[in-house]
Amino acid sequence: MHKLLERQLRRHVGGAEDLPAPLKALIEDIDRTYTESDADRRFVEHSLDLTSQELMQRNADLRSKQREQQVIFDSVPALIIYKDTRNRILRLNDSAAKVLGGTPAQLEGKATEDVLPKDVADALYEDDLRVISTGKPRLGIEESHPTADGAVYWMRTDKVPYLDEQGRVIGVIVFSVDITDRKAAEEQLKASEERHRLIVETATEGIWTLDLQGNTTFANGVMAQMLGHTREELAGRSVFDFISPEDLAAGKETLAALMVGSHISLDFRFRRKDGTDLWTQASGAPMLDAHGQIVGALGMLTDITKRRDAEDELRQAYGQLQKVDRDRMQFLNNAAHELGTPLTPIRLQIHLLRSRLRDGGRDLAEIKAVDILDRNFERLGHLVRDLLDSARLQAASMKLHRAPVDLRDVIYSSVETYLAPAAEAGVELRVPELPRLPVDCDTSRISQVLDNLLSNAVKFTPRGKAIDVEAEVRGGMARVKVRDNGAGMKPADLPRLFRPFSQVHDTMQATRGGTGLGLYISQGLVQAHGGSIHAESEGLGHGSTFWFEIPLRESTVVVGEEAVAA
């Protein structure tokens, strides 16, 4: 035998002696051909050598592809099982083998019921037979399975017929994917959607969503009820169909603002199905898609119709009260003027009558009667002046005649005026040396404030007690205090002291006179000077302190505890 043939035969089949008789005869013919012609022999040798190399390469490529396919087969994150028509496992990948508790080598060739509980294996086989018998795949089968620790995992399975080269069904191919995480996410999403649905449906506010053109994409039941429509009647309709005609232009501006990213909050008016107005407190924001693009708008609306109606009624009532108050102030102003007009001549006549009685040596009783008349006339004068001042304050027509003065001179003057009444009441009126207090004020009006505070202090301080008047510089202000040891006040009464016609000491006031306007007027006068007035008391029987402060003159320099005009 030719050496080349022998070498090739030994490489592939072991030697010519192992070949079947027909193949041996073929080789002998080839060998004879080698001997007949060297050229032909060399051609045949070359051809055989090329054929051998090609076969070797193809075998190597095939083995490489098989290894690649096996790697892919075992790397797929799914369970792949080939089964025959008798429910035996023909082939499976590593993922499937791990789930079934073995290796592919251990499980291939076994019946399914040898690997799984019989009831499970029978159920799976029954389902496999549907595919085998019909030749049609079953796709998207979702099943839950218990684990050893009591948990549950979910699988999605596709089953397709396993065909031979002639297209005959010889089994089933099972492809399963673990969808436990997906099912958990779906359950969470479902629960989240249910929570959101409950929030939307149980919300007391109307919830309304619109697309870019302002058409309704969603409205909850509350929103539909507020408008008097059903949700079906709102679906797809433009929001402008429900806006009050008076607010239509504003509605278009608002929607345009939302569609460029603005957030809004405003009172807005819609028109109900029955034609009545629906006032809402509306908050709106743009809705964005996953890419951050504006795709519509969300509105949260609260029905405030009753509140708006109540506000309208209050405005009307307030307007009527203002008119009544203006009429009242006009009446008081007119009455005060009418009463004040004859006061001066009456006062002159009283003084003239007293002089004549004294000059004529008339009876003391008659003179005393004139004195009583004079005191009551003085009270009437106070009442008229208080009414006039009250009317001016409420009408903001109080005029001040400011001038630069030292406030301590005004204090000394007022204290001097009340030394005699205090002594007559058995009350000591004390005032220390005061620091300089340069201010710009209306002297007569600040004297009126001091007179009111001193008059009250004398009026309500028991005999044998004292009244202290003090003044100091405090943070660019001139502060004046009047402190008594009188009846005191309940802390709860302090806030209403400066209201018009307010009288805390009702029983004393009845016997000691007063209009109830003094502190109210004092407050107005102090505030007109840019200051404030306050009252303090630790309670009944502990006396009271009233203090007010007005600004020092702008050019004032504070040196120590004194203010010096620059």
Side-chain angles (χ1 to χ4, degrees), residues 55 65 71 102 120 141 147 157 178 180 213 236 250 291 302 334 358 395 409 511 515 525:
L55 287 171
K65 288 181 180 179
V71 169
V120 176
I141 306 167
T147 62
T157 302
D178 188 338
T180 304
Q213 289 72 43
H291 306 289
T302 303
N334 292 339
R358 286 175 178 171
D409 293 334
T511 58
T515 62
L525 293 174

Side-chain angles (χ1 to χ4, degrees), residues 452-453 456 497-498 516-524 533 546:
N452 182 265
L453 298 183
N456 287 341
L497 277 176
F498 298 97
L517 289 171
L519 290 175
Y520 167 71
I521 294 171
S522 296
Q523 181 185 54
I533 187 169
F546 286 83

Side-chain angles (χ1 to χ4, degrees), residues 222-534:
V222 174
M223 189 70 251
Q225 184 179 16
M226 286 165 58
L227 290 168
H229 288 271
T230 64
R231 295 173 66 174
E232 292 73 20
E233 290 173 334
L234 294 182
R237 291 183 61 183
S238 172
V239 67
F240 303 120
D241 293 343
F242 307 98
I243 294 178
S244 174
E246 294 88 341
D247 291 346
L248 189 58
K252 292 180 179 180
E253 292 178 3
T254 300
L255 183 63
L258 287 170
M259 295 312 173
V260 295
S262 298
H263 290 64
I264 60 99
S265 180
L266 73 168
D267 288 359
F268 206 79
R269 182 169 40 171
F270 294 89
R271 183 62 52 84
R272 294 191 183 97
K273 188 175 183 179
D274 62 6
T276 58
D277 285 339
L278 167 68
W279 275 100
T280 65
Q281 186 175 45
S283 298
M287 293 196 305
L288 309 178
D289 63 12
H291 306 289
Q293 299 298 312
I294 296 174
V295 295
L298 165 69
M300 302 285 290
L301 301 100
T302 303
D303 187 346
I304 59 169
T305 306
K306 291 183 178 179
R307 192 194 80 186
R308 293 284 300 210
D309 290 344
E311 289 174 351
D312 288 341
E313 292 177 1
L314 284 174
R315 278 191 290 271
Q316 293 175 8
Y318 182 68
Q320 293 174 353
L321 285 174
Q322 284 184 312
K323 183 179 183 305
V324 170
D325 192 56
R326 287 194 299 270
D327 293 344
R328 178 180 65 86
M329 294 311 302
Q330 185 63 43
F331 168 76
L332 288 175
N333 197 25
N334 292 339
H337 278 289
E338 291 298 325
L339 290 171
T341 300
L343 287 182
T344 301
I346 293 175
R347 184 66 178 273
L348 290 174
Q349 291 299 321
I350 290 174
H351 287 175
L352 181 60
L353 178 59
R354 180 188 289 114
S355 298
R356 288 179 178 176
L357 288 174
R358 286 175 178 171
D359 293 344
R362 302 299 294 268
D363 191 285
L364 289 177
E366 293 177 345
I367 296 175
K368 187 175 181 180
V370 173
D371 289 339
I372 293 173
L373 179 63
D374 191 24
R375 284 195 300 272
N376 282 283
F377 180 81
E378 185 66 29
R379 292 181 61 186
L380 177 60
H382 270 296
L383 173 61
V384 172
R385 285 192 296 273
D386 284 351
L387 288 174
L388 279 172
D389 286 342
S390 176
R392 292 189 184 108
L393 286 172
Q394 293 194 30
S397 61
M398 177 69 72
K399 294 181 180 179
L400 298 180
H401 303 284
R402 296 174 182 266
V405 296
D406 189 340
L407 185 58
R408 62 179 175 175
D409 293 334
V410 182
I411 297 171
Y412 286 143
S413 176
S414 293
V415 169
E416 185 177 359
T417 301
Y418 278 87
L419 285 175
E424 184 178 347
V427 175
E428 182 181 4
L429 187 54
R430 302 182 300 206
V431 56
E433 183 176 350
L434 303 177
R436 284 176 290 183
L437 301 168
V439 296
D440 288 320
C441 72
D442 185 326
T443 303
S444 64
R445 292 303 187 180
I446 294 300
S447 295
Q448 185 177 345
V449 174
L450 285 165
D451 289 350
N452 182 265
L453 298 183
L454 290 169
S455 173
N456 287 341
V458 171
K459 188 185 301 182
F460 297 111
T461 299
R463 183 176 293 274
K465 299 292 184 177
I467 299 170
D468 292 295
V469 180
E470 302 169 357
E472 60 181 340
V473 175
R474 180 70 68 90
M477 307 290 283
R479 179 176 293 189
V480 181
K481 291 183 181 180
V482 177
R483 183 169 54 247
D484 64 59
N485 294 310
M489 291 173 287
K490 298 176 184 178
D493 290 333
L494 296 176
R496 63 186 181 91
L497 277 176
F498 298 97
R499 298 174 189 169
F501 306 106
S502 176
Q503 295 180 336
V504 174
H505 302 291
D506 293 331
T507 55
M508 293 183 182
Q509 201 76 33
T511 58
R512 304 189 184 187
T515 62
L517 289 171
L519 290 175
Y520 167 71
I521 294 171
S522 296
Q523 181 185 54
L525 293 174
V526 171
Q527 290 176 345
H529 281 81
S532 60
I533 187 169
H534 308 270

